Amino acid sequence: MNCPQILVFFLLTCSAILLKLYYPQEQDGSIIVVEKNVGLNYGLLGDNLPSPSKVISFYKSIGITKIRIFDPNTEVLNALRGNTNISVIVGVKDQDLAALAAREEAVKDWFAINIEPYLADVNITTITVGNEVIPGPIGPHVLPVVQSLTNLVKSRNLPILISTVVDMSNLQQSYPPSAGMFKPQAREQLVPVLKFLSQMNTPIFVTIYPYFAFVSDPDHVSLDYAIFENKYPVFEDGLMKYTHIFDAIFDAFVWAMEKEGVMDLPMVVAETGWPSAGRGKFTTPRIAGTYNRNFVKHVESGKGTPKRPNSSIDGYLFATFNENQKPAGTEQNFGLYNPTNMKPIYKLF
Ligand SMILES: *[C@@H]1O[C@H](CO)[C@@H](O)[C@H](O)[C@H]1NC(C)=O
Ligand SMILES: *[C@@H]1O[C@H](CO)[C@@H](O)[C@H](O)[C@H]1NC(C)=O
Ligand SMILES: *[C@@H]1O[C@H](CO)[C@@H](O)[C@H](O)[C@H]1NC(C)=O
């Protein structure tokens, strides 16, 4: 072999070894996909999104086993048929709540149209009634719809959880976490829902965005504290030490529930994330990637928060794609992937 031949041989061998390292092969030749513990929100407010069937194949290729959709979109649910190893949280649209709360028959019809056709081959694990509508004008409709849907799935023995998604605007106070308490309107609308969920042993779904806590008070909240990069506790709250604002927010909600007599109700993080653009130096791909990777690590560590050290975090990142039909600015830039070519905006997994 002359020199160029040796070089070619070396390059081919090396790249084959490298490929093997990066893409471990199963015996049948298919690529082994490492399953992720974290879920992804799949929003559809964009006019340049890939087709749902492409998106579902994509989830499989990156090992996503759980997703959340905001309404029972037929194209997405049809694309999920047969993919029962992807579990799905399906939302009831906010604008449907008033009609559903008015009549139990309307709930039965909603279920027959939107869920029933998919039960055989789509793994619908949860239905969430409304998205961040408590506290607010349609908040009072959540409980009756949660109750009707719960009765319906129980009477049919279906393993579907019925819950709702709420945000941290329910908290009157959140610092220190042990001072966490709900606002008066949240007490009216949320506490009866929490009590019902508690009886059913169904988790409450919450959205937690350290990003908003940070941008609303950057003088007092450090970036490292907000993006899980801080190394030492920032403060102590009784015996609990807080290093990350995510944990402090989560625990403030737990304390607020306990003050209402709701003990041990599991909390699932329906959304968290960080925008990669839209607001200058604090919204870059580097910072967004750091926050999201650290959140994934938190989930994968199996560790909880200081108040709930023994229960791991169950959570969904927001969101799969940048969505260009959301309000301009940061809202359009929470995606992990570029919708037009499905390339990552930063390295996550
Ligand atoms: C789900 O199962 C299918 C077929 O068994 C497999 O091809 C796919 O990779 C799996 N998806 C995930 C995310 O594990
Ligand atoms: C549906 O998803 C749940 C939760 O991820 C999982 O435990 C269950 O095995 C899945 N069901 C099927 C039929 O794959
Ligand atoms: C967590 O588990 C440890 C070890 O089992 C136990 O000592 C501790 O009391 C638990 N903490 C809470 C808050 O449940």
Side-chain angles (χ1 to χ4, degrees):
M1 266 194 259
N2 64 26
C3 209
Q5 274 174 330
I6 289 171
L7 192 64
V8 166
F9 174 78
F10 179 75
L11 281 177
L12 284 176
T13 315
C14 255
S15 43
I17 290 169
L18 280 176
L19 272 177
K20 230 178 159 53
L21 280 178
Y22 281 108
Y23 298 101
Q25 307 275 303
E26 270 178 346
Q27 276 178 339
D28 66 359
S30 61
I31 287 169
I32 296 170
V33 178
V34 180
E35 289 193 1
K36 311 294 188 293
N37 290 324
V38 78
L40 293 189
N41 279 275
Y42 178 10
L44 291 162
L45 298 178
D47 63 10
N48 57 356
L49 299 174
S51 71
S53 61
K54 268 195 187 152
V55 177
I56 302 309
S57 304
F58 178 64
Y59 286 142
K60 285 166 30 182
S61 75
I62 59 174
I64 291 299
T65 58
K66 47 189 195 181
I67 66 170
R68 169 175 175 233
I69 56 178
F70 292 81
D71 63 82
N73 181 285
T74 49
E75 265 188 273
V76 174
L77 289 168
N78 277 317
L80 281 162
R81 284 188 192 280
N83 296 296
T84 49
N85 52 0
I86 299 182
S87 68
V88 196
I89 300 175
V90 179
V92 178
K93 282 188 199 160
D94 300 347
Q95 61 265 39
D96 292 346
L97 295 186
L100 294 175
R103 286 188 320 123
E104 183 128 9
E105 279 306 307
V107 171
K108 287 191 178 141
D109 292 346
W110 182 91
F111 191 89
I113 294 167
N114 294 294
I115 303 296
E116 185 84 53
Y118 307 100
L119 286 179
D121 54 1
V122 179
N123 193 355
I124 299 174
T125 54
T126 308
I127 298 172
T128 51
V129 175
N131 183 33
E132 302 178 329
V133 297
I134 293 176
I138 57 174
H141 299 317
V142 171
L143 182 61
V145 180
V146 166
Q147 285 171 325
S148 307
L149 278 172
T150 303
N151 293 341
L152 193 157
V153 297
K154 290 237 177 287
S155 71
R156 304 256 318 258
N157 252 326
L158 297 169
I160 300 179
L161 300 172
I162 310 296
S163 188
T164 185
V165 180
V166 295
D167 65 24
M168 294 300 131
S169 73
N170 283 284
L171 292 171
Q172 167 107 307
Q173 206 174 324
S174 61
Y175 179 84
S178 61
M181 60 183 275
F182 293 127
K183 286 177 182 166
Q185 200 186 18
R187 294 190 67 196
E188 255 166 57
Q189 297 181 3
L190 178 60
V191 173
V193 175
L194 296 173
K195 294 205 157 148
F196 181 76
L197 295 178
S198 190
Q199 279 166 20
M200 298 296 137
N201 197 28
T202 297
I204 180 74
F205 288 71
V206 298
T207 63
I208 297 183
Y209 284 98
Y211 168 73
F212 293 115
F214 170 70
V215 291
S216 70
D217 195 6
D219 292 340
H220 296 100
V221 179
S222 83
L223 183 63
D224 280 354
Y225 177 52
I227 64 174
F228 299 99
E229 283 290 278
N230 203 28
K231 301 298 176 218
Y232 303 100
V234 173
F235 68 91
E236 291 183 18
D237 183 12
L239 293 174
M240 296 170 206
K241 296 184 166 77
Y242 286 88
T243 310
H244 310 302
I245 200 172
F246 174 90
D247 290 344
I249 299 172
F250 187 103
D251 283 357
F253 200 91
V254 174
W255 278 103
M257 291 199 292
E258 289 189 358
K259 282 176 198 152
E260 305 295 339
V262 178
M263 316 306 274
D264 302 323
L265 181 63
M267 249 164 74
V268 175
V269 180
E271 288 176 29
T272 191
W274 196 285
S276 65
R279 189 164 169 161
K281 65 177 176 176
F282 298 127
T283 53
T284 63
R286 194 183 62 79
I287 295 175
T290 303
Y291 177 82
N292 284 326
R293 278 191 304 273
N294 284 337
F295 177 73
V296 172
K297 272 193 219 156
H298 196 343
V299 168
E300 295 196 331
S301 74
K303 291 199 189 114
T305 60
K307 180 134 176 77
R308 288 192 168 172
N310 299 335
S311 36
S312 59
I313 305 279
D314 184 7
Y316 293 73
L317 287 172
F318 185 88
T320 308
F321 299 112
N322 279 339
E323 292 168 72
N324 66 5
Q325 291 172 327
K326 300 199 88 175
T330 54
E331 288 285 316
Q332 295 189 351
N333 290 293
F334 275 87
L336 308 179
Y337 297 92
N338 185 328
T340 53
N341 56 13
M342 292 163 97
K343 293 262 185 288
I345 290 164
Y346 39 81
K347 171 133 181 54
L348 182 63
F349 298 123

